[in-house]
Each structure stands twice: as C-alpha cells, then as structure tokens.
Amino acid sequence: MKRPELIIFDLDGTLLDTLESIATSYNKALIACGYRPHPVEDFLTIIGDGSRIAAQRCLPKDRQKESEIVRCVELFQQNYALLWHTATPYQGIEKLLAELRPEQKLAVLSNKRNDYTKLCIEHFFPNVFQKVLGHGPKIRHKPEPDGANKLVSDLKASKKSTWLVGDTATDMKTASASGIIGIGALWGFREKSELVSSGAKKVVSRPLQLLELLELLN
C-alpha cells in the first residue's frame, strides 16, 4: 500500500452515527403501517444497503410485498426529514478531517439518498469534501461501483491510490468492485470479521488510527 491521493468515506456508520435517527424513522413508519417496531440495535444489520432493502428487512416476512415496501420507504423518508440533523459525528472524526494534509483529496459516497447525503455533509462537515455522492438515478447503490468510479474519475485520481473507508461489507465489496482499496472502520455498525471477509485490506478501530496508518506510508 502507498499513501492515497484520494480517500472516499462512507457516511452512515463511518462519519456520522445515524443509528438512532434512522431507527426512529423506520420504527415510526412501521407503527403507522400497523407493525411492531424493532429494538434500535437491530438496525445495525438492517441498514447499510439503501432505504428499500432496509424497509424490506424491517417488515414482517409475510408482509414484504412491493406495495408495503414502498409505503414503508415513503413514511421513513417523511420521518427522516425531521430527524436527520440529530445524528452526531463519531468521536475523533472531526479531528481526523482537520489533521489530514491540505492537499489530501476527500470525498463521500453513501447509499443514503443523494439529497440527504449532501444535506448531512453541508450541515456537519462544511467545506471539507471535494465531492459528495449519494444514491440517485445515475448512481446505483453500493456495492455497485458506479459512485466510486465517478469519484475517482471526477477527482482525477488513480484507483491504485484511492481508499474507501467504510464500516460494512457493502463498502468493502464496493472497493473490490471498483478496484480501489477498502479500509474497514470498526467504530461503525459491523464487526471485524465481516469487514475482513469482505475484502478489507486494513481495519482501523478508531478514526485517528487512520492518521497513524497514513503516517506509516510517508
């Protein structure tokens, strides 16, 4: 490995702790649909692959028809519009971003809807990232490589010197699919075994450990 010219960060579970706000938004949707809510910790494995898949996972197995999934997603989005700002940056993230070299290219790639992704970044991390992408008509959900490939191209980086820092198997599979380097973040939603088995080249347990890793590559 060599020092990256571009670092792409996942959003939920990597930059921001959004678990409570997302769980509350889905649980309110489930209650409105007449179903039981889930414990917050269940959402550690429910979320991460986009709102539609999360809605499907939330619903009872015998109620996962298309109309119910669509309804759940719509209600989730309505609820989340009121709660997105209640997320918090993980401890050490702001210090990490502040201490990265000024010439370091930084980007965000999320499975969250593109408008919410940009809203969160503008609110919590203004003027930090050169490029921010979420899911949209031309960017499929991770682990499809569309978003990562676009960021590499737009920021004129080499894939061999691009890192994707994320907390789920989806992120590591995205890195593999796009030919970049996956760095697992253990402070997020998933376990080390998932990250390693999904292709993480390195795993860091806290945000500032990423700085230590970069310093070793000087």
Side-chain angles (χ1 to χ4, degrees):
M1 287 174 61
K2 61 180 181 179
R3 188 178 182 93
E5 54 183 311
L6 169 61
I7 302 177
I8 302 170
F9 288 88
D10 170 53
L11 180 57
D12 299 305
T14 302
L15 293 174
L16 287 179
D17 184 354
T18 55
L19 184 64
E20 189 80 33
S21 57
I22 292 175
T24 300
S25 298
Y26 274 114
N27 278 337
K28 286 185 174 182
L30 290 170
I31 291 168
C33 291
Y35 305 124
R36 295 180 63 181
H38 294 274
V40 171
E41 57 269 22
D42 284 5
F43 287 88
L44 290 168
T45 53
I46 287 173
I47 62 179
D49 296 294
S51 58
R52 189 189 184 284
I53 292 178
Q56 183 175 352
R57 290 170 178 165
C58 280
L59 290 165
K61 290 186 178 181
D62 60 346
R63 293 291 186 271
Q64 295 178 355
K65 58 183 180 180
E66 183 64 20
S67 59
E68 285 295 271
I69 293 171
V70 169
R71 184 184 178 203
C72 186
V73 170
E74 289 175 348
L75 290 170
F76 161 75
Q77 298 290 2
Q78 292 173 21
N79 296 328
Y80 193 63
L82 303 175
L83 293 172
W84 65 269
H85 63 282
T86 62
T88 55
Y90 283 101
Q91 184 176 4
I93 282 293
E94 290 169 309
K95 185 174 176 61
L96 164 66
L97 297 174
E99 294 193 8
L100 287 169
R101 290 179 179 177
E103 67 271 18
Q104 180 71 65
K105 294 178 182 178
L106 301 175
V108 174
L109 178 61
S110 176
N111 271 347
K112 190 188 294 293
R113 212 170 70 185
N114 189 53
D115 55 348
Y116 278 124
T117 300
K118 291 185 174 181
L119 194 62
C120 286
I121 294 301
E122 288 168 5
H123 180 77
F124 290 102
F125 309 106
N127 305 314
V128 172
F129 297 95
Q130 283 77 52
K131 193 81 175 180
V132 177
L133 281 180
H135 170 253
K138 295 183 179 180
I139 302 295
R140 293 176 292 176
H141 285 115
K142 296 179 287 184
E144 298 294 343
D146 311 21
N149 287 343
K150 180 170 175 54
L151 290 172
V152 170
S153 176
D154 287 354
L155 294 172
K156 297 179 172 56
S158 164
K159 288 191 173 184
K160 291 183 179 180
S161 59
T162 296
W163 291 3
L164 173 57
V165 181
D167 66 303
T168 69
T170 297
D171 296 307
M172 299 305 100
K173 290 176 182 177
T174 303
S176 296
S178 55
I180 61 179
I181 296 167
I183 306 293
L186 284 181
W187 59 85
F189 297 159
R190 305 291 173 80
E191 301 293 329
K192 182 177 181 178
S193 58
E194 174 180 322
L195 296 169
V196 171
S197 65
S198 301
K201 301 303 182 185
K202 295 284 184 180
V203 176
V204 289
S205 59
R206 50 190 173 81
L208 292 180
Q209 194 176 352
L210 194 65
L211 279 181
E212 297 168 9
L213 180 58
L214 289 168
E215 288 169 2
L216 291 174
L217 300 173
N218 284 340

PDB file of all heavy atoms in Angstrom, residues 1-9 104-105 107 152 158-166 175 180-183 201-202 204 210-211 213-215 217:
ATOM      1  N   MET A   1       0.832  -1.208   0.000  1.00  0.00           N
ATOM      2  CA  MET A   1       0.000   0.000   0.000  1.00  0.00           C
ATOM      3  C   MET A   1       0.864   1.256   0.000  1.00  0.00           C
ATOM      4  O   MET A   1       1.929   1.277   0.602  1.00  0.00           O
ATOM      5  CB  MET A   1      -0.901   0.035   1.248  1.00  0.00           C
ATOM      6  CG  MET A   1      -2.051  -0.957   1.211  1.00  0.00           C
ATOM      7  SD  MET A   1      -2.984  -0.994   2.759  1.00  0.00           S
ATOM      8  CE  MET A   1      -3.580   0.697   2.850  1.00  0.00           C
ATOM      9  N   LYS A   2       0.390   2.275  -0.696  1.00  0.00           N
ATOM     10  CA  LYS A   2       1.062   3.570  -0.656  1.00  0.00           C
ATOM     11  C   LYS A   2       0.078   4.640  -0.207  1.00  0.00           C
ATOM     12  O   LYS A   2      -1.133   4.415  -0.183  1.00  0.00           O
ATOM     13  CB  LYS A   2       1.634   3.914  -2.029  1.00  0.00           C
ATOM     14  CG  LYS A   2       0.608   4.036  -3.150  1.00  0.00           C
ATOM     15  CD  LYS A   2       1.309   4.373  -4.456  1.00  0.00           C
ATOM     16  CE  LYS A   2       0.300   4.522  -5.600  1.00  0.00           C
ATOM     17  NZ  LYS A   2       0.972   4.883  -6.873  1.00  0.00           N
ATOM     18  N   ARG A   3       0.614   5.795   0.138  1.00  0.00           N
ATOM     19  CA  ARG A   3      -0.241   6.878   0.625  1.00  0.00           C
ATOM     20  C   ARG A   3      -1.269   7.233  -0.451  1.00  0.00           C
ATOM     21  O   ARG A   3      -0.910   7.425  -1.614  1.00  0.00           O
ATOM     22  CB  ARG A   3       0.595   8.105   0.983  1.00  0.00           C
ATOM     23  CG  ARG A   3      -0.228   9.176   1.681  1.00  0.00           C
ATOM     24  CD  ARG A   3       0.617  10.375   2.068  1.00  0.00           C
ATOM     25  NE  ARG A   3      -0.229  11.319   2.773  1.00  0.00           N
ATOM     26  CZ  ARG A   3      -0.373  11.350   4.088  1.00  0.00           C
ATOM     27  NH1 ARG A   3       0.284  10.484   4.842  1.00  0.00           N
ATOM     28  NH2 ARG A   3      -1.164  12.232   4.662  1.00  0.00           N
ATOM     29  N   PRO A   4      -2.564   7.315  -0.084  1.00  0.00           N
ATOM     30  CA  PRO A   4      -3.602   7.575  -1.095  1.00  0.00           C
ATOM     31  C   PRO A   4      -3.632   9.031  -1.546  1.00  0.00           C
ATOM     32  O   PRO A   4      -3.344   9.942  -0.759  1.00  0.00           O
ATOM     33  CB  PRO A   4      -4.894   7.227  -0.353  1.00  0.00           C
ATOM     34  CG  PRO A   4      -4.578   7.531   1.079  1.00  0.00           C
ATOM     35  CD  PRO A   4      -3.128   7.151   1.260  1.00  0.00           C
ATOM     36  N   GLU A   5      -3.966   9.235  -2.798  1.00  0.00           N
ATOM     37  CA  GLU A   5      -4.206  10.599  -3.269  1.00  0.00           C
ATOM     38  C   GLU A   5      -5.670  10.972  -3.077  1.00  0.00           C
ATOM     39  O   GLU A   5      -6.020  12.158  -3.046  1.00  0.00           O
ATOM     40  CB  GLU A   5      -3.806  10.747  -4.733  1.00  0.00           C
ATOM     41  CG  GLU A   5      -4.436   9.743  -5.688  1.00  0.00           C
ATOM     42  CD  GLU A   5      -3.935   9.920  -7.115  1.00  0.00           C
ATOM     43  OE1 GLU A   5      -3.936  11.070  -7.600  1.00  0.00           O
ATOM     44  OE2 GLU A   5      -3.548   8.922  -7.743  1.00  0.00           O
ATOM     45  N   LEU A   6      -6.550   9.974  -2.916  1.00  0.00           N
ATOM     46  CA  LEU A   6      -7.976  10.210  -2.681  1.00  0.00           C
ATOM     47  C   LEU A   6      -8.468   9.252  -1.599  1.00  0.00           C
ATOM     48  O   LEU A   6      -8.202   8.053  -1.661  1.00  0.00           O
ATOM     49  CB  LEU A   6      -8.772   9.997  -3.972  1.00  0.00           C
ATOM     50  CG  LEU A   6     -10.305   9.945  -3.867  1.00  0.00           C
ATOM     51  CD1 LEU A   6     -10.872  11.254  -3.324  1.00  0.00           C
ATOM     52  CD2 LEU A   6     -10.931   9.605  -5.222  1.00  0.00           C
ATOM     53  N   ILE A   7      -9.175   9.799  -0.612  1.00  0.00           N
ATOM     54  CA  ILE A   7      -9.847   8.968   0.395  1.00  0.00           C
ATOM     55  C   ILE A   7     -11.343   9.224   0.283  1.00  0.00           C
ATOM     56  O   ILE A   7     -11.804  10.362   0.414  1.00  0.00           O
ATOM     57  CB  ILE A   7      -9.379   9.287   1.829  1.00  0.00           C
ATOM     58  CG1 ILE A   7      -7.872   9.099   1.970  1.00  0.00           C
ATOM     59  CG2 ILE A   7     -10.110   8.366   2.822  1.00  0.00           C
ATOM     60  CD1 ILE A   7      -7.338   9.466   3.351  1.00  0.00           C
ATOM     61  N   ILE A   8     -12.092   8.159   0.033  1.00  0.00           N
ATOM     62  CA  ILE A   8     -13.555   8.226  -0.039  1.00  0.00           C
ATOM     63  C   ILE A   8     -14.106   7.672   1.268  1.00  0.00           C
ATOM     64  O   ILE A   8     -13.758   6.561   1.672  1.00  0.00           O
ATOM     65  CB  ILE A   8     -14.089   7.402  -1.226  1.00  0.00           C
ATOM     66  CG1 ILE A   8     -13.485   7.883  -2.547  1.00  0.00           C
ATOM     67  CG2 ILE A   8     -15.615   7.468  -1.281  1.00  0.00           C
ATOM     68  CD1 ILE A   8     -13.792   6.965  -3.725  1.00  0.00           C
ATOM     69  N   PHE A   9     -14.969   8.435   1.909  1.00  0.00           N
ATOM     70  CA  PHE A   9     -15.577   7.995   3.164  1.00  0.00           C
ATOM     71  C   PHE A   9     -17.041   7.619   2.943  1.00  0.00           C
ATOM     72  O   PHE A   9     -17.786   8.331   2.261  1.00  0.00           O
ATOM     73  CB  PHE A   9     -15.541   9.120   4.212  1.00  0.00           C
ATOM     74  CG  PHE A   9     -14.187   9.407   4.777  1.00  0.00           C
ATOM     75  CD1 PHE A   9     -13.338  10.316   4.157  1.00  0.00           C
ATOM     76  CD2 PHE A   9     -13.744   8.777   5.937  1.00  0.00           C
ATOM     77  CE1 PHE A   9     -12.084  10.603   4.676  1.00  0.00           C
ATOM     78  CE2 PHE A   9     -12.493   9.057   6.466  1.00  0.00           C
ATOM     79  CZ  PHE A   9     -11.653   9.971   5.832  1.00  0.00           C
ATOM     80  N   GLN A 104      -4.701  16.584   0.563  1.00  0.00           N
ATOM     81  CA  GLN A 104      -5.397  15.295   0.502  1.00  0.00           C
ATOM     82  C   GLN A 104      -6.779  15.465  -0.111  1.00  0.00           C
ATOM     83  O   GLN A 104      -7.586  16.258   0.359  1.00  0.00           O
ATOM     84  CB  GLN A 104      -5.548  14.703   1.896  1.00  0.00           C
ATOM     85  CG  GLN A 104      -6.262  13.372   1.940  1.00  0.00           C
ATOM     86  CD  GLN A 104      -5.420  12.261   1.360  1.00  0.00           C
ATOM     87  OE1 GLN A 104      -4.390  11.927   1.895  1.00  0.00           O
ATOM     88  NE2 GLN A 104      -5.866  11.701   0.250  1.00  0.00           N
ATOM     89  N   LYS A 105      -7.054  14.721  -1.175  1.00  0.00           N
ATOM     90  CA  LYS A 105      -8.390  14.759  -1.785  1.00  0.00           C
ATOM     91  C   LYS A 105      -9.343  13.911  -0.959  1.00  0.00           C
ATOM     92  O   LYS A 105      -9.012  12.782  -0.584  1.00  0.00           O
ATOM     93  CB  LYS A 105      -8.333  14.241  -3.221  1.00  0.00           C
ATOM     94  CG  LYS A 105      -7.523  15.114  -4.169  1.00  0.00           C
ATOM     95  CD  LYS A 105      -7.477  14.504  -5.558  1.00  0.00           C
ATOM     96  CE  LYS A 105      -6.638  15.345  -6.499  1.00  0.00           C
ATOM     97  NZ  LYS A 105      -6.532  14.741  -7.866  1.00  0.00           N
ATOM     98  N   ALA A 107     -13.585  12.662  -0.388  1.00  0.00           N
ATOM     99  CA  ALA A 107     -14.916  12.547  -0.975  1.00  0.00           C
ATOM    100  C   ALA A 107     -15.800  11.690  -0.071  1.00  0.00           C
ATOM    101  O   ALA A 107     -15.320  11.022   0.841  1.00  0.00           O
ATOM    102  CB  ALA A 107     -14.837  11.942  -2.371  1.00  0.00           C
ATOM    103  N   VAL A 152     -13.528   8.749  -8.496  1.00  0.00           N
ATOM    104  CA  VAL A 152     -12.146   8.608  -8.958  1.00  0.00           C
ATOM    105  C   VAL A 152     -11.925   9.402 -10.238  1.00  0.00           C
ATOM    106  O   VAL A 152     -10.932  10.121 -10.388  1.00  0.00           O
ATOM    107  CB  VAL A 152     -11.788   7.120  -9.159  1.00  0.00           C
ATOM    108  CG1 VAL A 152     -10.446   6.979  -9.870  1.00  0.00           C
ATOM    109  CG2 VAL A 152     -11.747   6.391  -7.816  1.00  0.00           C
ATOM    110  N   SER A 158      -5.911   8.048  -9.181  1.00  0.00           N
ATOM    111  CA  SER A 158      -5.597   6.687  -9.595  1.00  0.00           C
ATOM    112  C   SER A 158      -6.337   5.710  -8.684  1.00  0.00           C
ATOM    113  O   SER A 158      -6.375   5.906  -7.462  1.00  0.00           O
ATOM    114  CB  SER A 158      -4.095   6.453  -9.494  1.00  0.00           C
ATOM    115  OG  SER A 158      -3.799   5.073  -9.520  1.00  0.00           O
ATOM    116  N   LYS A 159      -6.900   4.667  -9.267  1.00  0.00           N
ATOM    117  CA  LYS A 159      -7.589   3.675  -8.437  1.00  0.00           C
ATOM    118  C   LYS A 159      -6.626   2.982  -7.474  1.00  0.00           C
ATOM    119  O   LYS A 159      -7.003   2.639  -6.356  1.00  0.00           O
ATOM    120  CB  LYS A 159      -8.292   2.642  -9.321  1.00  0.00           C
ATOM    121  CG  LYS A 159      -9.518   3.188 -10.035  1.00  0.00           C
ATOM    122  CD  LYS A 159     -10.326   2.086 -10.679  1.00  0.00           C
ATOM    123  CE  LYS A 159     -11.642   2.629 -11.231  1.00  0.00           C
ATOM    124  NZ  LYS A 159     -12.500   1.557 -11.774  1.00  0.00           N
ATOM    125  N   LYS A 160      -5.399   2.797  -7.886  1.00  0.00           N
ATOM    126  CA  LYS A 160      -4.416   2.130  -7.038  1.00  0.00           C
ATOM    127  C   LYS A 160      -4.047   2.973  -5.819  1.00  0.00           C
ATOM    128  O   LYS A 160      -3.500   2.438  -4.851  1.00  0.00           O
ATOM    129  CB  LYS A 160      -3.169   1.791  -7.853  1.00  0.00           C
ATOM    130  CG  LYS A 160      -3.409   0.699  -8.895  1.00  0.00           C
ATOM    131  CD  LYS A 160      -2.129   0.363  -9.626  1.00  0.00           C
ATOM    132  CE  LYS A 160      -2.370  -0.745 -10.656  1.00  0.00           C
ATOM    133  NZ  LYS A 160      -1.118  -1.092 -11.398  1.00  0.00           N
ATOM    134  N   SER A 161      -4.331   4.281  -5.879  1.00  0.00           N
ATOM    135  CA  SER A 161      -4.025   5.148  -4.740  1.00  0.00           C
ATOM    136  C   SER A 161      -5.290   5.821  -4.212  1.00  0.00           C
ATOM    137  O   SER A 161      -5.267   6.968  -3.783  1.00  0.00           O
ATOM    138  CB  SER A 161      -2.973   6.192  -5.121  1.00  0.00           C
ATOM    139  OG  SER A 161      -3.426   6.998  -6.187  1.00  0.00           O
ATOM    140  N   THR A 162      -6.404   5.082  -4.266  1.00  0.00           N
ATOM    141  CA  THR A 162      -7.673   5.554  -3.710  1.00  0.00           C
ATOM    142  C   THR A 162      -8.136   4.580  -2.639  1.00  0.00           C
ATOM    143  O   THR A 162      -8.149   3.372  -2.849  1.00  0.00           O
ATOM    144  CB  THR A 162      -8.762   5.671  -4.794  1.00  0.00           C
ATOM    145  OG1 THR A 162      -8.364   6.666  -5.748  1.00  0.00           O
ATOM    146  CG2 THR A 162     -10.100   6.073  -4.190  1.00  0.00           C
ATOM    147  N   TRP A 163      -8.503   5.112  -1.487  1.00  0.00           N
ATOM    148  CA  TRP A 163      -9.039   4.314  -0.381  1.00  0.00           C
ATOM    149  C   TRP A 163     -10.519   4.587  -0.230  1.00  0.00           C
ATOM    150  O   TRP A 163     -10.985   5.715  -0.402  1.00  0.00           O
ATOM    151  CB  TRP A 163      -8.362   4.668   0.935  1.00  0.00           C
ATOM    152  CG  TRP A 163      -6.931   4.264   1.050  1.00  0.00           C
ATOM    153  CD1 TRP A 163      -6.146   3.677   0.098  1.00  0.00           C
ATOM    154  CD2 TRP A 163      -6.102   4.445   2.210  1.00  0.00           C
ATOM    155  NE1 TRP A 163      -4.879   3.471   0.578  1.00  0.00           N
ATOM    156  CE2 TRP A 163      -4.813   3.938   1.875  1.00  0.00           C
ATOM    157  CE3 TRP A 163      -6.314   4.975   3.474  1.00  0.00           C
ATOM    158  CZ2 TRP A 163      -3.758   3.945   2.779  1.00  0.00           C
ATOM    159  CZ3 TRP A 163      -5.258   4.987   4.375  1.00  0.00           C
ATOM    160  CH2 TRP A 163      -3.993   4.479   4.033  1.00  0.00           C
ATOM    161  N   LEU A 164     -11.262   3.548   0.140  1.00  0.00           N
ATOM    162  CA  LEU A 164     -12.655   3.684   0.560  1.00  0.00           C
ATOM    163  C   LEU A 164     -12.741   3.242   2.015  1.00  0.00           C
ATOM    164  O   LEU A 164     -12.501   2.077   2.340  1.00  0.00           O
ATOM    165  CB  LEU A 164     -13.586   2.832  -0.312  1.00  0.00           C
ATOM    166  CG  LEU A 164     -15.056   2.759   0.128  1.00  0.00           C
ATOM    167  CD1 LEU A 164     -15.682   4.150   0.228  1.00  0.00           C
ATOM    168  CD2 LEU A 164     -15.867   1.886  -0.820  1.00  0.00           C
ATOM    169  N   VAL A 165     -13.062   4.176   2.891  1.00  0.00           N
ATOM    170  CA  VAL A 165     -13.180   3.894   4.317  1.00  0.00           C
ATOM    171  C   VAL A 165     -14.652   3.696   4.653  1.00  0.00           C
ATOM    172  O   VAL A 165     -15.473   4.596   4.455  1.00  0.00           O
ATOM    173  CB  VAL A 165     -12.598   5.053   5.163  1.00  0.00           C
ATOM    174  CG1 VAL A 165     -12.720   4.728   6.651  1.00  0.00           C
ATOM    175  CG2 VAL A 165     -11.150   5.323   4.781  1.00  0.00           C
ATOM    176  N   GLY A 166     -14.995   2.506   5.149  1.00  0.00           N
ATOM    177  CA  GLY A 166     -16.391   2.217   5.449  1.00  0.00           C
ATOM    178  C   GLY A 166     -16.531   1.160   6.522  1.00  0.00           C
ATOM    179  O   GLY A 166     -15.555   0.476   6.869  1.00  0.00           O
ATOM    180  N   ALA A 175     -15.364  -1.374  -2.813  1.00  0.00           N
ATOM    181  CA  ALA A 175     -13.947  -1.157  -3.093  1.00  0.00           C
ATOM    182  C   ALA A 175     -13.416  -2.212  -4.061  1.00  0.00           C
ATOM    183  O   ALA A 175     -12.740  -1.891  -5.047  1.00  0.00           O
ATOM    184  CB  ALA A 175     -13.151  -1.158  -1.791  1.00  0.00           C
ATOM    185  N   ILE A 180     -10.436  -0.321  -6.008  1.00  0.00           N
ATOM    186  CA  ILE A 180      -9.746   0.563  -5.071  1.00  0.00           C
ATOM    187  C   ILE A 180      -9.507  -0.187  -3.766  1.00  0.00           C
ATOM    188  O   ILE A 180      -9.857  -1.363  -3.642  1.00  0.00           O
ATOM    189  CB  ILE A 180     -10.535   1.868  -4.851  1.00  0.00           C
ATOM    190  CG1 ILE A 180     -11.916   1.604  -4.252  1.00  0.00           C
ATOM    191  CG2 ILE A 180     -10.669   2.641  -6.163  1.00  0.00           C
ATOM    192  CD1 ILE A 180     -12.732   2.859  -3.982  1.00  0.00           C
ATOM    193  N   ILE A 181      -8.928   0.479  -2.774  1.00  0.00           N
ATOM    194  CA  ILE A 181      -8.509  -0.186  -1.538  1.00  0.00           C
ATOM    195  C   ILE A 181      -9.538   0.043  -0.431  1.00  0.00           C
ATOM    196  O   ILE A 181      -9.870   1.184  -0.109  1.00  0.00           O
ATOM    197  CB  ILE A 181      -7.132   0.349  -1.096  1.00  0.00           C
ATOM    198  CG1 ILE A 181      -6.082  -0.011  -2.155  1.00  0.00           C
ATOM    199  CG2 ILE A 181      -6.735  -0.226   0.271  1.00  0.00           C
ATOM    200  CD1 ILE A 181      -4.774   0.727  -1.993  1.00  0.00           C
ATOM    201  N   GLY A 182     -10.047  -1.028   0.148  1.00  0.00           N
ATOM    202  CA  GLY A 182     -11.034  -0.939   1.213  1.00  0.00           C
ATOM    203  C   GLY A 182     -10.385  -0.908   2.583  1.00  0.00           C
ATOM    204  O   GLY A 182      -9.560  -1.763   2.902  1.00  0.00           O
ATOM    205  N   ILE A 183     -10.765   0.091   3.382  1.00  0.00           N
ATOM    206  CA  ILE A 183     -10.275   0.220   4.757  1.00  0.00           C
ATOM    207  C   ILE A 183     -11.480   0.101   5.687  1.00  0.00           C
ATOM    208  O   ILE A 183     -12.410   0.919   5.627  1.00  0.00           O
ATOM    209  CB  ILE A 183      -9.572   1.580   4.994  1.00  0.00           C
ATOM    210  CG1 ILE A 183      -8.467   1.822   3.957  1.00  0.00           C
ATOM    211  CG2 ILE A 183      -9.042   1.654   6.422  1.00  0.00           C
ATOM    212  CD1 ILE A 183      -7.286   0.892   4.067  1.00  0.00           C
ATOM    213  N   LYS A 201      -8.515  -4.356   3.229  1.00  0.00           N
ATOM    214  CA  LYS A 201      -7.055  -4.501   3.201  1.00  0.00           C
ATOM    215  C   LYS A 201      -6.439  -4.152   4.555  1.00  0.00           C
ATOM    216  O   LYS A 201      -5.413  -4.698   4.936  1.00  0.00           O
ATOM    217  CB  LYS A 201      -6.463  -3.592   2.118  1.00  0.00           C
ATOM    218  CG  LYS A 201      -6.976  -3.878   0.715  1.00  0.00           C
ATOM    219  CD  LYS A 201      -6.736  -5.317   0.307  1.00  0.00           C
ATOM    220  CE  LYS A 201      -7.225  -5.567  -1.116  1.00  0.00           C
ATOM    221  NZ  LYS A 201      -7.112  -6.996  -1.496  1.00  0.00           N
ATOM    222  N   LYS A 202      -7.077  -3.209   5.245  1.00  0.00           N
ATOM    223  CA  LYS A 202      -6.693  -2.832   6.595  1.00  0.00           C
ATOM    224  C   LYS A 202      -7.967  -2.570   7.381  1.00  0.00           C
ATOM    225  O   LYS A 202      -9.005  -2.225   6.803  1.00  0.00           O
ATOM    226  CB  LYS A 202      -5.823  -1.567   6.615  1.00  0.00           C
ATOM    227  CG  LYS A 202      -4.462  -1.707   5.952  1.00  0.00           C
ATOM    228  CD  LYS A 202      -3.487  -2.485   6.830  1.00  0.00           C
ATOM    229  CE  LYS A 202      -2.092  -2.526   6.195  1.00  0.00           C
ATOM    230  NZ  LYS A 202      -1.133  -3.278   7.025  1.00  0.00           N
ATOM    231  N   VAL A 204      -9.230  -0.379  10.913  1.00  0.00           N
ATOM    232  CA  VAL A 204      -8.847   0.563  11.965  1.00  0.00           C
ATOM    233  C   VAL A 204      -9.964   0.626  13.002  1.00  0.00           C
ATOM    234  O   VAL A 204     -11.148   0.581  12.669  1.00  0.00           O
ATOM    235  CB  VAL A 204      -8.541   1.965  11.397  1.00  0.00           C
ATOM    236  CG1 VAL A 204      -7.237   1.951  10.623  1.00  0.00           C
ATOM    237  CG2 VAL A 204      -9.669   2.469  10.506  1.00  0.00           C
ATOM    238  N   LEU A 210      -6.467   6.059  11.562  1.00  0.00           N
ATOM    239  CA  LEU A 210      -6.279   6.259  10.125  1.00  0.00           C
ATOM    240  C   LEU A 210      -5.100   7.213   9.883  1.00  0.00           C
ATOM    241  O   LEU A 210      -4.319   7.015   8.942  1.00  0.00           O
ATOM    242  CB  LEU A 210      -7.559   6.806   9.500  1.00  0.00           C
ATOM    243  CG  LEU A 210      -7.652   6.751   7.976  1.00  0.00           C
ATOM    244  CD1 LEU A 210      -7.675   5.313   7.496  1.00  0.00           C
ATOM    245  CD2 LEU A 210      -8.899   7.468   7.481  1.00  0.00           C
ATOM    246  N   LEU A 211      -4.975   8.228  10.727  1.00  0.00           N
ATOM    247  CA  LEU A 211      -3.823   9.137  10.624  1.00  0.00           C
ATOM    248  C   LEU A 211      -2.514   8.394  10.866  1.00  0.00           C
ATOM    249  O   LEU A 211      -1.520   8.610  10.177  1.00  0.00           O
ATOM    250  CB  LEU A 211      -3.951  10.263  11.658  1.00  0.00           C
ATOM    251  CG  LEU A 211      -4.843  11.453  11.329  1.00  0.00           C
ATOM    252  CD1 LEU A 211      -4.805  12.449  12.480  1.00  0.00           C
ATOM    253  CD2 LEU A 211      -4.429  12.130  10.034  1.00  0.00           C
ATOM    254  N   LEU A 213      -1.952   5.275  10.333  1.00  0.00           N
ATOM    255  CA  LEU A 213      -1.704   4.444   9.146  1.00  0.00           C
ATOM    256  C   LEU A 213      -1.101   5.279   8.019  1.00  0.00           C
ATOM    257  O   LEU A 213      -0.154   4.856   7.358  1.00  0.00           O
ATOM    258  CB  LEU A 213      -3.006   3.785   8.696  1.00  0.00           C
ATOM    259  CG  LEU A 213      -2.954   2.885   7.469  1.00  0.00           C
ATOM    260  CD1 LEU A 213      -1.964   1.742   7.667  1.00  0.00           C
ATOM    261  CD2 LEU A 213      -4.347   2.326   7.160  1.00  0.00           C
ATOM    262  N   LEU A 214      -1.638   6.474   7.826  1.00  0.00           N
ATOM    263  CA  LEU A 214      -1.106   7.352   6.769  1.00  0.00           C
ATOM    264  C   LEU A 214       0.332   7.774   7.060  1.00  0.00           C
ATOM    265  O   LEU A 214       1.148   7.853   6.141  1.00  0.00           O
ATOM    266  CB  LEU A 214      -2.006   8.589   6.650  1.00  0.00           C
ATOM    267  CG  LEU A 214      -3.399   8.369   6.041  1.00  0.00           C
ATOM    268  CD1 LEU A 214      -4.274   9.588   6.250  1.00  0.00           C
ATOM    269  CD2 LEU A 214      -3.300   8.019   4.560  1.00  0.00           C
ATOM    270  N   GLU A 215       0.636   8.025   8.319  1.00  0.00           N
ATOM    271  CA  GLU A 215       1.982   8.448   8.689  1.00  0.00           C
ATOM    272  C   GLU A 215       3.005   7.342   8.404  1.00  0.00           C
ATOM    273  O   GLU A 215       4.152   7.613   8.039  1.00  0.00           O
ATOM    274  CB  GLU A 215       2.025   8.835  10.168  1.00  0.00           C
ATOM    275  CG  GLU A 215       1.320  10.162  10.454  1.00  0.00           C
ATOM    276  CD  GLU A 215       1.121  10.424  11.939  1.00  0.00           C
ATOM    277  OE1 GLU A 215       1.591   9.564  12.739  1.00  0.00           O
ATOM    278  OE2 GLU A 215       0.541  11.454  12.278  1.00  0.00           O
ATOM    279  N   LEU A 217       2.972   5.482   5.942  1.00  0.00           N
ATOM    280  CA  LEU A 217       3.142   5.378   4.496  1.00  0.00           C
ATOM    281  C   LEU A 217       3.850   6.594   3.907  1.00  0.00           C
ATOM    282  O   LEU A 217       3.969   6.718   2.707  1.00  0.00           O
ATOM    283  CB  LEU A 217       1.769   5.214   3.814  1.00  0.00           C
ATOM    284  CG  LEU A 217       0.978   3.974   4.239  1.00  0.00           C
ATOM    285  CD1 LEU A 217      -0.410   4.006   3.629  1.00  0.00           C
ATOM    286  CD2 LEU A 217       1.701   2.703   3.817  1.00  0.00           C
TER     287      LEU A 217
END
